[in-house]
Amino acid sequence: MPLSVSVKGIHEGLLITPGEGNWEDAFSSLLEHLDSKPDFFFGAQAIIQLGSYPLHAADLATLRSALADRGLGLHSILSENPATVEAARSLGLGTSLPKRELKESPISTELRGMDAIFLQQTLRSGNSIHFPGHVTVLGDVNPGAEIIAGGSIIVWGHLRGTVHAGAQGDETSVVCAMDLSPMQLRIASHAATSPPRKGKTQPEIASLHDGRLVAEPWSPKDKPKAADGKIKGEDIQG
Amino acid sequence: MTAKVLTITSGKGGVGKTTATANIGVALAALGQKVVCIDSDIGLRNLDVVMGLENRIVYDLVDVIEGRARLRQAMIKDKRLPELHMIPAAQTRDKTAIAPSDMIRICDELRPEMDWILIDSPAGIERGFRNAIAASDTALIVTNPEVSAVRDADRIIGLLEAEQKGPGKLIINRIRPELVERGDMLETADVLEILAVELIGLIPEDESVLIATNRGNPAALEPKSKAGQAFRDIARRLMGEEVPFPPLDGTESLRNRLSRLIHPKGAS
């Protein structure tokens, strides 16, 4: 029976919580989930929250090598079961996360949002950024560089590389750039390439409208709306 | 005196690293500088052929590193230019025969006696490239005005930045003005926009380079060669001189010509 798997980006990496039930089901559901978005998980660090599952060192070792096969590092195991914690320690895995002090603000004026990273550099061919939240780049993204983000991608510069926004399936993610000429642009499970540019470059924003990838000139006054897109979307799963 | 170490690199093969190393070495030596060119392409040595010194090899770089020869013994003195020297690569070994620390040690030994140490890097981004940049003060990145060479140059610049070796300086080699004019070749401005590094040389495609290479007589020694002149300009820029980039033959558009007539000193 397939069980749910929840994935959350935290400071240390990806916090993955398999559903409660039979461990064999939970394990196979977890692997299935990982295999459904290999690009997203590749190169990440995993923190697995195991709840009360009683697991032996051998189970954890199997888990660790299954993750390693998919390019994920096992950062630590969180468990309520003392035997599982002991087993994780014996494999040299972390068993707790460092406590961070929560800043208590008297009146919350902060807007809620996803985690984001900011990079002030040019991403050159061969550079690769994987992040579960939003990614902002102040610089160019050159051909051969790639950004894979769980959220949106903003490039204050030329975007000529490959980008994947909403890599975990978030169809509300957008990609915007001062010059939007990506080698390939993906949002959730939709992919498109840039046609040759005509005329002057201008800031543009790409988003999904009714399952089609659309790029529009960015203008602070316009609300995003479906229009004749410059980028023609084609569903890569269709 | 303390030599500056320049590594000539590109990522992609066949763009003209060895030709550039030989010609810049020759051009610097012709300005009276003490120069040594080191071929770090172990297993595929070429620099000796391009410089016309192949028949004088007795010891090579690996012999020095493994203690079979002293540095002085492996250093071949050029007969045309008394200040020009070359250390050949070994042909019978591979890149693992030397380590980055060996290159640092050899360059440190050469630094007090030389003005310039030029290291000819192999193609690729693996061990050979790591060896070639280990001792480098400045990298000269050679590229061609074509998409694949620019892509590889971009990768190399990224790797240099990651190694804290600076962004380097760019040489665009084998420019064919008539193709640029027709819009069939990347323009210098396009290349610079992507790579965003300082330009130090624009070398036109010139058959005298091919002829010179086959004869082992670098084009920088030929007063009439256009490519040779471009390499001599690079040498002067390395010496700190301000040398304008001359318009490549036939590429000068009417607009540029007009703007130069209007602003005689303006670099357009």
Side-chain angles (χ1 to χ4, degrees):
Chain A
M1 195 185 84
L3 294 173
S4 68
V5 179
S6 103
V7 179
K8 197 180 146 199
I10 60 170
H11 185 76
E12 286 76 16
L14 296 174
L15 180 68
I16 302 176
T17 315
E20 296 276 337
N22 176 336
W23 172 244
E24 274 172 22
D25 290 341
F27 186 56
S28 61
S29 307
L30 171 65
L31 296 188
E32 212 169 279
H33 188 78
L34 298 184
D35 289 336
S36 67
K37 285 152 192 145
D39 279 0
F40 176 73
F41 288 103
F42 189 87
Q45 284 292 319
I47 299 102
I48 311 274
Q49 196 160 29
L50 285 173
S52 57
Y53 283 116
L55 296 188
H56 299 293
D59 298 325
L60 294 176
T62 311
L63 173 64
R64 178 163 64 180
S65 46
L67 293 179
D69 290 344
R70 289 158 180 83
L72 267 125
L74 185 53
H75 180 278
S76 45
I77 293 284
L78 307 179
S79 173
E80 294 157 14
N81 186 316
T84 308
V85 171
E86 196 50 46
R89 282 211 186 103
S90 73
L91 286 175
L93 297 167
T95 53
S96 63
L97 292 176
K99 289 218 165 56
R100 275 188 300 280
E101 282 181 29
L102 291 172
K103 257 193 240 162
E104 200 76 46
S105 61
I107 304 162
S108 177
T109 52
E110 279 178 34
L111 294 170
R112 283 170 53 82
M114 212 192 280
D115 280 346
I117 50 168
F118 174 73
L119 297 157
Q120 186 167 3
Q121 67 175 105
T122 290
L123 299 186
R124 294 184 182 276
S125 177
N127 290 146
S128 171
I129 305 291
H130 291 237
F131 187 69
H134 305 299
V135 176
T136 309
V137 179
L138 175 51
D140 295 341
V141 178
N142 281 355
E146 63 172 15
I147 301 176
I148 293 165
S152 296
I153 297 168
I154 298 172
V155 179
W156 190 268
H158 298 281
L159 170 50
R160 301 193 187 94
T162 295
V163 291
H164 189 175
Q168 276 183 295
D170 179 4
E171 301 208 332
T172 62
S173 300
V174 298
V175 176
C176 34
M178 300 302 278
D179 168 20
L180 188 70
S181 313
M183 186 71 63
Q184 198 187 97
L185 187 151
R186 294 180 225 147
I187 296 179
S189 58
H190 301 266
T193 53
S194 303
R197 176 168 293 287
K198 292 184 203 108
K200 244 174 69 182
T201 62
Q202 56 182 343
E204 283 181 299
I205 178 162
S207 55
L208 271 179
H209 284 294
D210 307 324
R212 292 179 65 76
L213 272 171
V214 175
E216 301 160 281
W218 179 79
S219 151
K221 281 171 192 162
D222 291 352
K223 274 174 123 181
K225 58 172 195 282
D228 287 340
K230 181 175 68 71
I231 293 180
K232 295 282 181 278
E234 59 192 72
D235 200 317
I236 49 174
Q237 289 182 335
Chain B
M1 75 186 111
T2 313
K4 269 203 179 153
V5 182
L6 302 178
T7 299
I8 293 87
T9 186
S10 69
K12 189 175 182 295
V15 296
K17 286 179 294 296
T18 302
T19 309
T21 308
N23 281 290
I24 296 169
V26 162
L28 282 168
L31 294 172
Q33 297 284 298
K34 284 180 86 87
V35 181
V36 57
C37 301
I38 304 178
D39 190 349
S40 75
D41 199 350
I42 312 294
L44 288 168
R45 79 172 173 219
N46 274 156
L47 185 61
D48 51 316
V49 182
V50 176
M51 293 179 75
L53 301 172
E54 188 181 14
N55 56 0
R56 297 186 40 211
I57 295 176
V58 180
Y59 296 108
D60 57 47
L61 188 61
V62 175
D63 289 325
V64 176
I65 285 163
E66 295 182 349
R68 283 185 296 274
R70 280 174 292 110
L71 201 47
R72 285 253 148 240
Q73 292 174 296
M75 207 150 73
I76 301 166
K77 215 166 172 325
D78 192 295
K79 285 185 174 144
R80 296 158 293 199
L81 294 159
E83 307 290 14
L84 184 62
H85 307 79
M86 201 255 321
I87 300 176
Q91 184 69 321
T92 53
R93 303 289 293 275
D94 63 40
K95 309 294 186 268
T96 55
I98 59 176
S101 59
D102 295 324
M103 292 302 289
I104 295 174
R105 193 163 49 81
I106 286 192
C107 288
D108 284 347
E109 200 176 327
L110 289 167
R111 263 179 220 268
E113 311 167 32
M114 295 288 162
D115 295 306
W116 300 92
I117 302 171
L118 271 55
I119 301 174
D120 182 20
S121 157
I125 53 172
E126 295 87 11
R127 177 70 170 265
F129 167 72
R130 306 271 162 198
N131 287 336
I133 63 163
S136 168
D137 296 321
T138 305
L140 302 185
I141 301 128
V142 184
T143 193
N144 293 161
E146 55 166 278
V147 176
S148 56
V150 172
R151 190 69 44 88
D152 290 0
D154 192 42
R155 178 99 168 96
I156 287 292
I157 295 166
L159 292 171
L160 288 166
E161 283 170 351
E163 299 268 338
Q164 314 271 308
K165 293 288 181 188
K169 294 177 180 176
L170 187 70
I171 297 171
I172 306 179
N173 192 23
R174 307 192 69 169
I175 299 170
R176 293 177 61 179
E178 71 283 2
L179 289 187
V180 178
E181 188 95 314
R182 288 208 311 257
D184 290 335
M185 188 174 248
L186 282 176
E187 275 183 54
T188 304
D190 300 335
V191 177
L192 287 175
E193 194 190 272
I194 289 186
L195 299 180
V197 290
E198 186 192 334
L199 182 69
I200 194 164
L202 292 177
I203 320 290
E205 173 86 302
D206 183 351
E207 64 179 25
S208 73
V209 172
L210 186 76
I211 298 164
T213 298
N214 289 338
R215 290 196 184 137
N217 200 29
L221 290 168
E222 309 266 346
K224 281 185 193 152
S225 160
K226 288 193 188 96
Q229 181 58 45
F231 282 117
R232 288 193 292 274
D233 285 350
I234 293 177
R236 284 163 62 204
R237 290 186 194 109
L238 286 168
M239 299 286 293
E241 236 181 278
E242 286 269 332
V243 185
F245 290 94
L248 297 174
D249 207 30
T251 52
E252 203 181 3
S253 66
L254 185 64
R255 194 174 65 87
N256 282 353
R257 259 193 306 247
L258 282 174
S259 86
R260 258 185 342 139
L261 284 174
I262 299 163
H263 316 282
K265 284 201 167 167
S268 63

